[in-house]
Amino acid sequence: MTDGTRFKVYCSQCREKVELPAAEFRLALGASKERTFYSFTCPACGASVRKIAGEKIVAALTEAGVHTMRLLPVDG
């Protein structure tokens, strides 16, 4: 993980703008844009926040070394 990389994000629950290190994020790559998202826990209110991640966000988080998981489609 890139040392010192931080991202500014808004919490969708408490609306606080927070700055978090890359290690606090998780990235999930889905089969479509609508199923690709990043998540973090808001340090201000403790909410688990999940937001859709576009191509630029995916690239930035990946470059910073954010833990990434690939979501597989479920058959049936």
Side-chain angles (χ1 to χ4, degrees):
M1 186 150 313
T2 306
D3 290 342
T5 303
R6 299 179 69 83
F7 295 96
K8 292 180 183 177
V9 292
Y10 284 96
C11 174
S12 53
Q13 296 297 310
C14 70
R15 309 306 263 173
E16 283 290 318
K17 184 177 184 180
V18 296
E19 186 173 316
L20 299 170
E24 297 295 318
F25 291 87
R26 298 292 175 262
L27 178 62
L29 302 175
S32 66
K33 288 189 282 188
E34 294 79 20
R35 294 180 189 236
T36 297
F37 62 90
Y38 65 97
S39 61
F40 61 93
T41 299
C42 176
C45 71
S48 294
V49 180
R50 178 174 141 171
K51 296 186 175 194
I52 292 176
E55 289 179 28
K56 289 182 181 181
I57 292 173
V58 169
L61 293 175
T62 302
E63 185 177 306
V66 169
H67 176 75
T68 303
M69 64 181 147
R70 186 166 300 277
L71 303 177
L72 300 174
V74 177
D75 293 330

